[in-house]
Amino acid sequence: MIRKYVYDGKAYRTPYSVKQAIFDKERTVFSAEPKENKAEFWAQYGVTYTEEPDPEPTLEQAKAQKLSELETAFLSWYESDAKMISSLGYECDCDARAMMDVSGLVTVAEATEASSYSTAFMDANNQPHLVGLEQLKTLQLEIIAAGQAAYQEKWALRSAIEAAKAVNAVQGIEIKFRKQDFSNAAS
């Protein structure tokens, strides 16, 4: 909201600046601007108070804002919010930490006798699942695929933002990353 104070034929943008102008001309000191009934308050000092809606952003401003929202949403997804449905039958985290954790488990499993290796893997709901090397590799590949899908979504959203021809078109773009579902993949 843009506030405007007109006093003695001159427009001011802040209560301080108009109070200073009144003081300079009339040597009048008065209390702070109230939260309500501002027009009536200022009228007693010869000030016309108005509020105007914020101006619509330009197309370039809207695009810059939406691109910033996209980057923030993607980083949030990548760093902590990413989930997928694994072909192993449960929901898993697939953010950066999950990738690091699963890669570490694969490395440990490969360094041991693979046929006897198993470990507890915690799904996105903190439920343990006993998994071996092959299941860990499946999770690793699905996490990678989910990340690639999110990057494709990000680039598609970025292209849509950049191609938009109107502010309302930019503002209408919903930024959301879909949870990948590998449950129908061949095991």
Side-chain angles (χ1 to χ4, degrees):
M1 195 62 66
I2 297 174
R3 299 183 301 171
K4 184 177 175 183
Y5 307 82
V6 178
Y7 172 71
D8 200 26
K10 186 173 179 193
Y12 299 89
R13 293 288 178 199
T14 67
Y16 175 80
S17 62
V18 74
K19 282 176 79 171
Q20 189 64 47
I22 293 168
F23 178 79
D24 290 347
K25 183 174 182 184
E26 301 176 24
R27 297 287 186 227
T28 302
V29 178
F30 50 92
S31 62
E33 175 183 75
K35 295 205 183 293
E36 296 179 6
N37 302 319
K38 292 179 184 183
E40 294 83 5
F41 172 80
W42 286 109
Q44 66 185 334
Y45 299 104
V47 176
T48 302
Y49 173 82
T50 58
E51 291 181 353
E52 302 167 2
D54 290 330
E56 283 291 317
T58 66
L59 180 57
E60 291 310 310
Q61 289 169 332
K63 286 180 179 184
Q65 174 64 32
K66 191 59 85 165
L67 288 170
S68 177
E69 288 175 32
L70 174 61
E71 190 61 29
T72 299
F74 182 78
L75 287 176
S76 178
W77 176 90
Y78 182 79
E79 293 172 357
S80 61
D81 298 335
K83 305 270 190 275
M84 67 176 191
I85 306 296
S86 173
S87 63
L88 301 178
Y90 38 85
E91 183 179 47
C92 302
D93 294 322
C94 60
D95 54 24
R97 177 163 180 169
M99 182 63 198
M100 183 177 64
D101 291 348
V102 170
S103 292
L105 290 171
V106 168
T107 300
V108 169
E110 288 176 337
T112 62
E113 189 175 322
S115 62
S116 64
Y117 180 84
S118 67
T119 189
F121 174 80
M122 300 300 276
D123 68 18
N125 299 308
N126 288 323
Q127 298 298 312
H129 301 274
L130 195 59
V131 295
L133 175 60
E134 290 309 311
Q135 291 153 325
L136 288 170
K137 285 182 177 182
T138 296
L139 288 169
Q140 186 179 43
L141 290 173
E142 289 173 352
I143 290 171
I144 292 168
Q148 289 173 334
Y151 269 107
Q152 289 176 354
E153 287 178 299
K154 179 183 178 183
W155 303 142
L157 287 166
R158 181 189 214 169
S159 294
I161 292 165
E162 291 172 347
K165 302 290 186 208
V167 170
N168 63 347
V170 172
Q171 293 171 338
I173 295 172
E174 181 183 12
I175 297 175
K176 186 175 179 183
F177 296 96
R178 290 179 291 119
K179 182 188 306 184
Q180 295 300 304
D181 186 346
F182 300 100
S183 60
N184 293 325
S187 298

